[in-house]
Amino acid sequence: QLSPLLEDVYQRLFLPRKILTARFEGEMRGPHSVISVRFDRPRESVIMRPIWDGADGAENIAGHLRIFQDENLNNIFFELDLGSAWQVRLTPALFENGFRPVLLIPYAGQADLVVFQHNG
């Protein structure tokens, strides 16, 4: 799901990149995920980051979104580090919850960092 964005951005970068796709193939996952949130109330925004992978990733994200809506936090972002395969596995959950990739920051984590924005 990220390949179109990555291909577009990587064509414009000076140093070449190779895209290696990752997909869930039944690996064991714990039942619960953990997400950190940094609040910026004056800007009505939050930045979410995954801390621990779990089978409830999509539900956990949806629960956070409900809380943010109740708090009138309208600018919601989620950062994924492409250098961590377990974080990339959250991509379908992000799309399912109304997030879209909007920015790629080269080498901002273990590898490149993709910033998603909620289209709520």
Side-chain angles (χ1 to χ4, degrees):
Q1 290 173 305
L2 288 177
S3 291
L5 170 76
L6 298 178
E7 290 169 2
D8 179 54
V9 172
Y10 287 165
Q11 287 179 3
R12 293 182 272 132
L13 293 177
F14 178 74
L15 296 174
R17 302 281 204 293
K18 183 175 182 179
I19 300 172
L20 302 174
T21 58
R23 64 179 172 262
F24 180 66
E25 294 184 347
E27 298 93 343
M28 290 294 295
R29 296 172 89 177
H32 305 291
S33 59
V34 178
I35 297 171
S36 75
V37 179
R38 188 175 67 200
F39 292 88
D40 186 346
R41 290 196 183 274
R43 291 186 178 93
E44 298 178 354
S45 70
V46 296
I47 298 175
M48 303 169 69
R49 290 184 186 98
I51 300 297
W52 190 262
D53 187 27
D56 70 341
E59 296 83 15
N60 193 354
I61 293 168
H64 279 79
L65 291 173
R66 285 189 296 275
I67 292 168
F68 301 152
Q69 184 178 31
D70 292 345
E71 294 289 325
N72 294 319
L73 297 166
N74 301 310
N75 301 308
I76 304 167
F77 301 93
F78 199 107
E79 296 179 347
L80 281 185
D81 187 337
L82 296 180
S84 183
W86 70 266
Q87 288 190 29
V88 176
R89 284 197 304 216
L90 286 170
T91 302
L94 290 168
F95 278 94
E96 178 183 320
N97 279 289
F99 284 88
R100 295 293 173 258
V102 294
L103 179 65
L104 183 127
I105 306 171
Y107 295 113
Q110 290 181 19
D112 298 339
L113 193 72
V114 177
V115 179
F116 289 76
Q117 184 173 16
H118 187 256
N119 297 330

